[in-house]
Amino acid sequence: MAGINGLKRKSAANPKSQSGGKEFKKLKTTAAKEVKSPVLTAKPPLKASSSSTKQAKKEEAKEESDSDGLVESDTTEDENGFGGFSASEAREETTTTDLDSAEENGETALPDKKSSTYDDNQSKGRVLQEGQTSKETHAKQKALAKERKLAKPNADSIQRSKKLWERLRRKSHVPKQEREQLVSELYEIITGRIKDFVFKHDSVRVVQCALKYANMQQRKMIANELKGEYKTLAENRYAKFLIGKLLVEGDAEIRDIIVPEFYGHVRRMINHPEASWIIDDIYRQIATSRQKALLLREWYGAEFSLFKNPSAAATDNATSELSTVLASAPEKRKPIMSYLIQLINQLIQKRMTGFTMLHDAMLQYFLNISAASEEYTAFTDLLRPDSSDESDGTPDLLKNLAFTSSGSRLLCLLLAQSSAKDRRAFLKVFKDNIQLMACDPHAHTILLTAYTVVDDTREIAKTILPELIGAKLSDTSPPDSALDNIVQLATHLVARRTLLWPLGSTTNSKVLLSPPLQTLLEDIRRTSIDTGTSKKQPDIRTAELSHALLPHLLATVATHAADLLATGFGAQFISDVLLSSHTDAAAKRPAAEAVAGLAGGDPTESEHPFCDERPWAGRMLKVSVLGGSYDAEAGRVARPENWTEVRFPGLVWNSIKGKIVKWACGGSSFVVVNLLEVQEKDGGLSEEEKTELLAELKKEKGALEEVAGGAEKIEPGKKKGKKQKKGENGEGLEGKAKVKGNVGARMLLEKLK
């Protein structure tokens, strides 16, 4: 209070000092600009070798040379009238008064040379410390710090190990024999003292390097020495990486040493800023299914953490399915569900939403609540994004959910049961991430779900499809960048589904969708219908999406057919686009001509698009000539209605005319067989064209007979292509024959008879 009162009295005693403060600074600056006075340079600092007597004399001389002999003082209020008075402030006020009086008299005020020299000497004097230069002072401080380090426990061992680590970490510069010697020497240092090394940021790297180049026995030695400390290691900023190194470089025995130490601590660790990531990585990548179940069960209540014997993990039939847990103890449903949603909400509020364990727990909770309950309403409110709140973390949560197995399934089920308004809000979150989602094995299922349940196909055509292909659907001539992007998506294992699923031609194709994915989409479609959230017929929805997407897909086939034929996925993409029934024949004609035109030339050349090294290209052409795949249940080929008008077999015949025998004798001989079998009413060749084709084959009938081959009868007691095992007598092999040769060529020979 004395200092504060002193400052107030200072302001009251000199009221002009505040009002004229800016004028003083301006005047002082102007005076300095108008008169350039020579600056007195300070003498260089004394060296450490100079005597203390000389140093004292020079300091006295410097003080005497200062203006008015002013020095810093800590005088009291009684002596100066206010608190905080110092000689430097007095000197500044004196200079201000002189400048003010000089300005009033019309004179130019010169700054005090001695005062300037004093300030300069003060700054230079900071370098001096007991007669030393700054360089010498820093060297002394560095030596002192080194002494402190060496005084710490195990300092010598840590320094030796760090020198070995500096040599070991240069992977390509150390011979194998020398490396083994260095590792052996390093283990001699750290054995028995691992705990002293792992909690320091520099020495823990030495242990990680030792693990990297050690044998399995040495790694197990470290793992056993750290027993009981893994929870503490996981919570350490640096030591947590040692756990990851042990699990990556170790085996199942090391894994079974580490993981059980986390039992009973999942709730604490998942909320810890350091341990949360290491336990989630272990849960996602390292733990066995039983270990994962034991870790996830701790989300269901404290009793699953306190009353579980870790040693019984090998025999306990523990399951993480919440439905099974609730079925075994129905009376505990309320506390279990309350405990689970509380932990889920806690992590969401902290924005720690990237954990796979969290996503699994959220899915278990969602699967065990009914759509008409208050729990469902509260849970969906927790996931619904708020566009008016910029600090809302729900969009980050939804994006993290989309890229995990459980999270994507949760979002798919949520989309199936949500209203149109909520679906729009959920899908809006994924703006600018559609292409990334299309290439992800989990996130792309959300796009397929949107195709399946969203009735407003115009919304899909405005938001998802343009970002997916990289161009507006209204563009009649899409840019080259969009066509290149479609080629990349069409040849991707996962992303191609987001282009072909809306077409509907391969909805039930086992090649396009895996059985689990087909089951999931079927459940989603059934759920959306049962809840009444989707009312549009699937055929109408598919037709509307196809009309919006097909023009760009056909343009891609017309301009990049050769690039697509280079891969099997691209060939399937061509056949599905050409055989789609949701566009007219005139729109398909350019793409069909481009594909048929590639068939020209010699198919026996290695660079030909339909050479034998690309069997998928021949199969695509065979199916396209036939007009579709054979439907065993219907007993006929399922051709699209407008495919007959395209007359694709005629386009192919015009391209391979003159090379028909090479096609018939090659791996794509069934293309020629289908050219003869497809009727003219189904878009096939005319009778005149078929006659011309057969005549060309008759000229080279000998070549067909040469490649056609026949049935080779296997002699008793022998197996073709395998060595006979001891004791085999060939019983049961007599009379069996193995087909050899080109089957398509044999079928053509039969047609020539």
Side-chain angles (χ1 to χ4, degrees), residues 527-753:
T527 301
S528 63
I529 295 174
D530 294 342
T531 56
T533 55
S534 296
K535 300 179 180 179
K536 185 175 290 187
Q537 292 296 326
D539 295 340
I540 298 176
R541 184 186 295 108
T542 299
E544 292 175 352
L545 291 175
S546 298
H547 281 301
L549 189 59
L550 266 176
H552 290 72
L553 303 186
L554 289 170
T556 304
V557 174
T559 56
H560 294 77
D563 297 333
L564 292 170
L565 284 174
T567 63
F569 293 151
Q572 182 190 357
F573 174 80
I574 291 177
S575 61
D576 287 345
V577 171
L578 290 179
L579 298 175
S580 175
S581 59
H582 300 293
T583 187
D584 54 7
K588 293 182 179 180
R589 188 76 180 184
E593 292 176 351
V595 174
L598 294 175
D602 190 354
T604 59
E605 296 179 356
S606 59
E607 297 181 356
H608 195 274
F610 294 94
C611 62
D612 290 345
E613 285 75 14
R614 295 180 177 180
W616 56 81
R619 288 194 294 268
M620 182 278 300
L621 195 61
K622 177 190 70 173
V623 173
S624 300
V625 168
L626 192 61
S629 300
Y630 182 78
D631 188 354
E633 296 181 359
R636 60 182 179 84
V637 177
R639 295 186 178 91
E641 297 178 357
N642 54 10
W643 186 243
T644 304
E645 303 174 7
V646 179
R647 295 287 176 181
F648 186 73
L651 298 175
V652 175
W653 164 245
N654 293 332
S655 296
I656 67 176
K657 189 183 300 184
K659 304 287 184 180
I660 195 68
V661 177
K662 292 185 177 181
W663 279 85
C665 296
S668 301
S669 58
F670 274 94
V671 174
V672 183
V673 174
N674 288 346
L675 286 176
L676 292 172
E677 290 185 348
V678 177
Q679 301 296 324
E680 184 177 0
K681 63 178 182 178
D682 297 326
L685 301 180
S686 62
E687 293 299 328
E688 293 78 5
E689 290 172 332
K690 290 182 180 180
T691 302
E692 185 180 357
L693 192 156
L694 291 172
E696 189 171 341
L697 289 175
K698 287 181 181 180
K699 293 180 181 179
E700 301 291 341
K701 186 177 180 180
L704 290 175
E705 293 175 346
E706 183 177 353
V707 300
E712 180 184 6
K713 196 169 185 178
I714 302 177
E715 298 179 2
K718 292 184 179 181
K719 289 185 178 181
K720 188 67 176 178
K722 293 184 179 180
K723 292 183 179 180
Q724 185 177 4
K725 294 182 180 180
K726 187 177 181 180
E728 290 183 343
N729 54 10
E731 294 180 359
L733 296 177
E734 188 174 0
K736 291 186 178 180
K738 183 179 179 180
V739 177
K740 187 178 181 180
N742 192 319
V743 180
R746 283 201 299 273
M747 294 178 66
L748 291 173
L749 287 174
E750 293 178 359
K751 293 181 180 296
L752 291 177
K753 292 180 181 179

Side-chain angles (χ1 to χ4, degrees), residues 322-482:
L322 183 57
S323 58
T324 305
V325 174
L326 296 177
S328 61
E331 71 281 359
K332 296 181 180 180
R333 185 185 189 282
K334 186 175 181 180
I336 289 176
M337 299 296 285
S338 177
Y339 189 94
L340 178 57
I341 191 60
Q342 181 183 3
L343 184 53
I344 290 172
N345 186 44
Q346 188 176 9
L347 292 177
I348 292 176
Q349 298 306 322
K350 290 182 177 181
R351 298 195 177 186
M352 301 172 67
T353 57
F355 302 134
T356 304
M357 194 182 299
L358 170 64
H359 302 170
D360 289 351
M362 293 177 69
L363 177 62
Q364 291 298 325
Y365 184 86
F366 186 81
L367 292 176
N368 288 274
I369 56 178
S370 60
S373 63
E374 295 181 358
E375 295 172 328
Y376 179 86
T377 304
F379 188 74
T380 53
D381 290 341
L382 185 65
L383 297 181
R384 186 180 296 108
D386 186 4
S387 58
S388 61
D389 187 4
E390 296 181 357
S391 62
D392 183 24
T394 307
D396 293 335
L397 168 62
L398 296 177
K399 291 176 183 178
N400 288 327
L401 285 170
F403 292 92
T404 61
S405 177
S406 298
S408 60
R409 184 184 174 191
L410 170 62
L411 289 179
C412 290
L413 295 173
L414 194 62
L415 285 174
Q417 301 180 27
S418 300
S419 62
K421 182 179 179 180
D422 289 343
R423 287 172 180 168
R424 192 178 301 109
F426 287 133
L427 294 175
K428 187 178 180 180
V429 170
F430 301 112
K431 184 180 180 182
D432 300 330
N433 295 280
I434 298 299
Q435 290 188 5
L436 183 63
M437 294 172 64
C439 298
D440 186 81
H442 304 302
H444 82 283
T445 58
I446 299 174
L447 302 181
L448 301 184
T449 302
Y451 298 154
T452 305
V453 302
V454 175
D455 289 340
D456 190 0
T457 54
R458 290 179 297 179
E459 184 71 19
I460 299 295
K462 289 180 180 179
T463 56
I464 295 180
L465 295 182
E467 187 177 343
L468 178 64
I469 65 178
K472 295 181 180 179
L473 297 182
S474 58
D475 295 342
T476 55
S477 57
D480 295 338
S481 60

Side-chain angles (χ1 to χ4, degrees), residues 43 46 51-65:
K43 294 181 180 181
L46 297 176
S51 62
S52 59
T53 306
K54 293 181 180 181
Q55 177 67 19
K57 289 181 179 180
K58 289 188 177 183
E59 289 180 355
E60 292 176 1
K62 181 178 67 174
E63 291 175 358
E64 292 175 359
S65 65

Side-chain angles (χ1 to χ4, degrees), residues 251-267:
D251 57 0
E253 183 179 347
I254 294 177
R255 178 198 63 203
D256 294 337
I257 292 174
I258 297 175
V259 176
E261 292 201 13
F262 300 141
Y263 295 156
H265 307 287
V266 173
R267 182 185 178 96

Side-chain angles (χ1 to χ4, degrees), residues 155-170:
D156 183 55
S157 301
I158 292 176
Q159 291 298 323
R160 287 169 53 204
S161 63
K162 287 171 68 174
K163 290 181 180 180
L164 294 175
W165 170 68
E166 286 290 343
R167 181 62 178 161
L168 272 173
R169 69 191 186 97
R170 302 181 66 191

